[in-house]
Amino acid sequence: MKTCLKFFIFALLSFLSVSRISAQEAPKVKFGKVTDEELRMTVYEPDTAAAAVILFDDGQSLVKYDVGTKRFMLSFERFLRVKILKQSGTEWGNFTIPLYSSGLSRENLGSVDGVTFNLEGEKIQKTDMKKESIFKERENKYWEAARLSLPSVKVGSVIDLKYSISSPLLWNLRTWKFQYTIPVKWSQYDVVYPEYFRYNHSTLGYHTLNSQDHTTQNENINYTQTYETSGRVIAGGGQREKVIQTITYQAHRYNYTAKEVPAMKVEPYLTTLENYTTRMKFELASTDFSRIGGEYKNYTNSWSIIGNDLLSDEDFGGQLRGGNFTEEDVKNLISVKSTPMEKAVAVYSHIQSTVKWDNIKSYMPAKSLRKTYSDKSGNSADLNMLLAVMLQKAGIMADPVILSTRDRGFISPVHASLSDCNYLIVKAMIDNKPVLMDVTDPMLPAGQLPFRCLNGNGILLRKDAPEDVAITNPPSTINTSVSLEMKEGNLSGEITSRISGLNAYNFRQEVKKAGGPQAQFETVKNNSDGIEYTNYTYNYLDSLYFPVEKKYQIVLDGGSEDGASILYINPIVSGKMQKNPFSSPSREYPVDFGAPFSETYRFNLTIPEGYQVEELPKGANIVLGDKNGKFSYAIGQMDNRIIVNMRFSIDKPMFLPAEYTNLKDFFDMVVAKESEQIVLKKISAQ
C-alpha cells in the first residue's frame, strides 16, 4: 500500500503538462470596472450547474528588500472577481484570509477593498464594503483569520475583492490555488524573488496549466552609507558624507496561468479536496548571501535532519527523555499485568480516562508533560507524548509518529517538510508487532486510530533512523445473522450483529450522541422502513476491547394474511446496499475508504406452512481486481429452511483512479445481487 500511494502521488505531481501561451491572452480586468456582459450573465456555459464562477483571480508574491526595516520582506497581493449565479453561490460574498501570527512573527493585512455590483433595471448599483465588515479572529497559537463580508450580495451580483499582506516570514510564500468548488474562468499568479533565495516549486492537481514561464530581470537595492573624510564608515553620529550605495542582483520571475478550470467535485470516500486541488506550492529551500558578504543557509531538510532536530529540541525530544515523575504510577498500573499488551492497555486506559484532549491538533507539545499530567488536559502531542513516555517506563518500545490529518492533505512525497504535519501519534512494538495508538479519544481502544488520522503515511521519529509509517487500522467487521419465521401472517424474528473496529466506535458514538441506548433505539424505530423493531439489547457498549453486540426483535409484513398466492422476500433484511455510492461514470481522484472492512451475513428463514420454494436467487462469487475486494453469495434449501450466507469485503484502504471502473462495476453487481428476492408459492389444495 505504501508503494501504491507514493506512486499515485508522484503521478499526481507529474500529471500537469505545460503549454506556453502568449501573455496577451490574459483578459484585461480592472478592479471596480465591471462589464455589462458580466452583469447580465445568468449561466456559466462550461458548467451550467455552477452556483457561482470565479471570473478572474490574479495574485502576486514578491520578495524585495525593504530599506526602512533593512531586511527582505514578502508581499502578497490578490484581486478576485466572482459572479453569483444561484442563491447557494451567495456564500462567496464571505471570505477568510489566514494570517500567520505568533509573538513577534506575524503577517500584516494591508489595504482591503471590496465592492458589489448589481444591475437594477438598466442601472448599475455599486455598493462598497465598509471597514467595519472586516474583523480578526484568533484560531490557534499560530494563526488568526481576517473575516469579511461584501454587502448586497445576491443572485446576479458581481463582486470584486482586493487585498494585500506584508510579511517578514520569507518561508511562507503563499500557495496559489487555481481550483475551487466553483469553476474558474481565468487564474494567474506571479512570483518574484531575488537570486539570494531558492524555493522549491511543486505543481499539484489534475487540471492542465496554460503556462508556467520563468524569466529573469535585474533589480537594485539602494541604501545610504555615511563616511568620515578618511573613508571610515561611521557607526553613528558625526556625519561627514552620505553616499548612496547600490547592489544589483538578478530577480527570478515565475508566471503561472490557468483557464476554464472545472469545479472540484465532492465525491464519496474522499480524504479532502485539498489533496487533489490544482495548485502551486512553495517551500524555502536555501538562502545564499555569500556574494555580498553573507552566508549560505540550507533549509531543504531530509526527514532524518528534521527528526534529529526535533529529538534534540528540549521541548520535544527532551520530554521523551524525561518522565521520571510517572514511574510510580506506571509501576502500580502494570504490577498485576503479565503480558506486554496488558501493560500497554493499562497505561493507555489510565491516560485515556484521566487526561482530556483539548481538541487542538499539534505535533508539538504545548507544555511540559509533567504539567499535562497534573492539569489533566493538553493537545494531541501533549497526550500522545505522555503515552510514549509512560509506555517506555513500562518497558515497551514506543516512538512518536508525526502525520497530517485527513482535513489537511497528504504529507508531500517530494520534499520533507515539517509544515505538512499537524498531529502526533505513537507507534509501540508489542510482541514484535507494531501497534499504532492515539489516546485522545475516550471511546477508542489501543491499536485503533481515529478516522481523522487515516491519511496515507506518517513519519516515525527515531535518532538517525526515521521511517515511513503506513497509517492504517485493523479491518472493521460486521457479522450479522437473521432468523425469521411466519407468525400470524407476518415474518418475525431476530437480527443479531457483532461489530468491531471503527464500525464499533461509530456505533458507540451514535448511542452517546442520541443520549443513551433507549434514545438511540427510538431513532432506529422511527427511521425504519418496512421493519417494525419491537425490542433491543446492546452488549459491550462500555467494553472497548470487545465487539459491540446488538440484537433486535423485528416484525416484517409477510403479506399472507389475505392468503397471498405468492410471497416475495428479500433475504437481506439488515445492512442492504440500496444503491451504488459510485454513480459517476469516471473519477479523477482515488477512492479512500480509510481502512479495510468486511461484512458477513447469515439468513435463516423457516418456510411458512402451506408454501413452497418457487424461485431462489442464484449464488455468486465476485472478485475485484487483484483480490482487493470479494463478494460471495450462497443460498440453498435445507428441509423447511432457506439459508443464505453472504460475505463482502474491501481489503485495502485506497483505490487509484485507474481502478475506479472495476470498483464501480463491483459495487453494481453487489447492489444487484442484494436486491434479488426469494419467491415462495402457495401450495395448491389437492
Side-chain angles (χ1 to χ4, degrees), residues 2-119:
K2 188 187 302 184
T3 303
C4 180
L5 179 62
K6 282 190 169 182
F7 173 80
F8 157 67
I9 300 176
F10 177 78
L12 183 148
L13 287 164
S14 306
F15 188 88
L16 292 166
S17 61
V18 177
S19 60
R20 296 193 175 273
I21 62 167
S22 167
Q24 281 73 34
E25 190 175 333
K28 298 187 184 304
V29 181
K30 187 176 180 180
F31 179 84
K33 300 292 184 181
V34 68
T35 68
D36 187 67
E37 180 185 0
E38 290 169 333
L39 281 169
R40 295 185 184 279
M41 179 192 297
T42 58
V43 67
Y44 181 58
E45 291 300 336
D47 183 356
T48 56
V53 56
I54 295 174
L55 298 174
F56 187 73
D57 200 1
D58 176 38
Q60 182 185 71
S61 284
L62 175 64
V63 177
K64 198 161 187 176
Y65 188 78
D66 182 74
V67 176
T69 59
K70 296 182 179 179
R71 62 178 173 178
F72 282 97
M73 295 286 287
L74 173 60
S75 66
F76 173 77
E77 295 181 357
R78 186 185 186 192
F79 164 36
L80 175 72
R81 175 168 292 176
V82 181
K83 171 69 180 184
I84 309 301
L85 298 169
K86 297 181 180 180
Q87 184 60 37
S88 58
T90 57
E91 65 183 30
W92 279 86
N94 303 314
F95 291 89
T96 298
I97 304 170
L99 300 166
Y100 187 90
S101 172
S102 178
L104 297 177
S105 299
R106 60 179 57 243
E107 296 176 320
N108 295 305
L109 183 64
S111 60
V112 182
D113 293 305
V115 58
T116 303
F117 300 92
N118 287 299
L119 193 61

Side-chain angles (χ1 to χ4, degrees), residues 484 604-609 611 613 637-642:
L484 296 177
N604 192 322
L605 170 68
T606 300
I607 299 172
E609 187 175 347
Y611 285 85
V613 173
Q637 181 178 355
M638 184 179 296
D639 298 326
N640 68 332
R641 292 181 299 142
I642 297 173

Side-chain angles (χ1 to χ4, degrees), residues 192 215-219 249-253:
V192 183
T215 58
T216 58
Q217 62 193 48
N218 288 332
E219 297 281 357
Y249 64 87
Q250 196 174 68
H252 295 277
R253 177 183 291 274

Side-chain angles (χ1 to χ4, degrees), residues 336-353:
V336 295
K337 307 300 180 184
S338 56
T339 68
M341 191 63 194
E342 288 175 346
K343 294 176 182 179
V345 169
V347 170
Y348 178 94
S349 299
H350 171 70
I351 300 173
Q352 187 180 41
S353 61

